[in-house]
Amino acid sequence: MSSQPPHPALLIPGPIEFDDAVLQSMSHYSESHVGAPFVSTFGDVLSNLRKLFQTTDPASQPFVLSGSGTLGWDQVAANLTEPGDEALVLHTGYFADSFADCFETYGVKATQLKAAIGDRPQLDEVEQALREKKYKVLTVTHVDTSTGVLSEVKALSELVHRVSPDTLVVVDGVCSVGGEEIKFDEWKLDVVLTATQKAIGCPAGLSVLMASGRAIEVFKARKTRPNSYFGSWKNWLPIMQNYEAKKASYFATPSPQLIHALDTALKQILSRPLDQRFADHRNASQKVKKAIADLGLKQLATKPENQANTMTAIVLPEGVTPPDVVPSLLKKGVVFAGGLHKEIASKYIRLGHMGVSVTDPNRGDLTKAIDALRESLAEVGKA
Amino acid sequence: MSSQPPHPALLIPGPIEFDDAVLQSMSHYSESHVGAPFVSTFGDVLSNLRKLFQTTDPASQPFVLSGSGTLGWDQVAANLTEPGDEALVLHTGYFADSFADCFETYGVKATQLKAAIGDRPQLDEVEQALREKKYKVLTVTHVDTSTGVLSEVKALSELVHRVSPDTLVVVDGVCSVGGEEIKFDEWKLDVVLTATQKAIGCPAGLSVLMASGRAIEVFKARKTRPNSYFGSWKNWLPIMQNYEAKKASYFATPSPQLIHALDTALKQILSRPLDQRFADHRNASQKVKKAIADLGLKQLATKPENQANTMTAIVLPEGVTPPDVVPSLLKKGVVFAGGLHKEIASKYIRLGHMGVSVTDPNRGDLTKAIDALRESLAEVGKA
């Protein structure tokens, strides 16, 4: 029996539905941000993030800052690149445009490699781009929340290490970490940045980032100071190292309640084998995608291999727009998201399948979502 | 009867003890960040911040971002100053050094006007500094958490408007907003920045800032783009205006749970006259300061007029250091903070008196704190 009051099931691609224990951790009584109990909790969070990202290399460095997923872009642009550097930004939708804008803010030239909507840049195109110019970083959106497109992170990283080994591999994992398989060490990634409110299953308000030892070396070798203050690793690196060693230190006040909730969420995730969690997300995604196809609907992501396991972008029937179905879905107790990719926003809706809605079979959130979608389309005469 | 489990009373100068209803709001069930219910709550928060800051000028602009008080410095430096500009930073302790460092990060030259420890720069010194050079901004820490020194914000603003009317008046109100009187319009302030975990009484994780119409005009007239992405008003201004108009829009995902908690805290604060709240804080502070004097102890802040109403920095007897008393105080159920000002950190401790510990007479937190301090000093043979 949930301790939460009845409410519509939030099935947008983040924030997601949260487990009771995680939400209860948000109400933790007030603690000093430099007191031993909280410092210990923060230390646990950092150690457990290493497990979630599957990194055992002690040179890897987790960061947890108050903020949102977006702040991870600032961390990358302000700490790993310097004005005049070049970034290759793989484009699968809305978020690449924004990440590129973030780089430009910090004086870094961002070159976007764009795919057709619903697809991703192909490996041979990426290889060609890498051979044409020296890029300090390559960025890829693991799951593009605007299109539901999944990128092939492992293969991309292999390509970068083969063709342009000095280029850092930066993964925007906002809609993937905790739901899609990521092997930080084995895939030789340099940065994976994420937020908490998606497949990690903790309320929004934190920027979570894992940096490789190589990335930290690049940071330490900068010629200029980091050009952010709040997002500066010069300020945060000693703090994160101290917290993980369970020693108190201070740069800016963290959010004890959010850290407690993240601690609870991570301990829940790690109480089961990660591979099983990823399989649960794949299976739930397959069921959703089959049901969508059975309704005669297409996905925005065009090929089975580029379809995310954490969400589905559903193309609406001709003549139907999100306002025709989203309010009707809400009345049936499920919250879908509208379109986000500017060029086609009026033609599709988005369904997230992450966290407890996937791992807790008793909730029935996704069955309810599919049933509601079928009914809503029938109401507008399209199913 | 509190719904919180028994725990030591947190009486550091922030985070403070939180009201039950505020903590319960942290556990709010998950909502879409662009759905009508949450957008309405965020809108209420922004409108109520205007009341808390006592501004009725429609050109004033509140900002609430996921982050911490420190992010407010980045907002000022990245949006209101441009590389090559000059900032006059009034120094009353630790935080001026950090704010100056933040300005330097953004290419702004920061000149610090320092006072002796426990004092504040005098008006004639500030006037002289303003006459010597043209400053884009003057910054002042309203209550310096490292020293307990209160600055004379109203008089400083009058001085700036008289002597250097183009200079923007920026107040770091992290340890003051909600506890010390601030009249944003009447005092002609341009920015007051703060965090939530102190006298506002909401868990940490948000950067709260009020900008004047004049500050927004200066922002709009910049020749260069804001040099932060996550903290850019170019990105956030339309979002904040939309939220306040209760229209959905998106730049980066806010933290619905923290916004709900802030909403609850603000509604509690505004349910009583603000003047009464400030008087409560003055009265509690006077009681603490009298009790400290009765124990034969001095404050770090040297004069009655420069002593904060939200906290007290207590100089320990000769030969006693924070580790001699803070653990013993914790055993008695009260959490004091150690010293923070580098040069004298080993010689004093800090006691916060804000929020429910001040406004709820049934808690008895401050009486308990003073009794515990008396006992702890007796144990080390000093009282």
Side-chain angles (χ1 to χ4, degrees), chain A residues 16 23 27 30 101 204 225 255, chain B residues 16 23 27 30 101 204 225 255:
Chain A
I16 66 168
L23 281 182
S27 295
S30 199
D101 194 26
R225 64 185 290 173
S255 181
Chain B
I16 67 168
L23 281 182
S27 296
S30 198
D101 193 27
R225 66 184 292 174
S255 180

Side-chain angles (χ1 to χ4, degrees), chain B residues 145-184:
Chain B
T145 315
S146 71
T147 55
V149 167
L150 177 72
S151 288
E152 45 192 332
V153 169
K154 185 186 178 193
L156 277 168
S157 185
E158 279 169 5
L159 173 67
V160 173
H161 282 276
R162 179 167 55 80
V163 175
S164 181
D166 290 342
T167 301
L168 297 174
V169 180
V170 173
V171 179
D172 177 337
V174 166
C175 197
S176 78
V177 172
E180 302 280 357
E181 181 174 65
I182 296 179
K183 297 186 169 180
F184 191 82

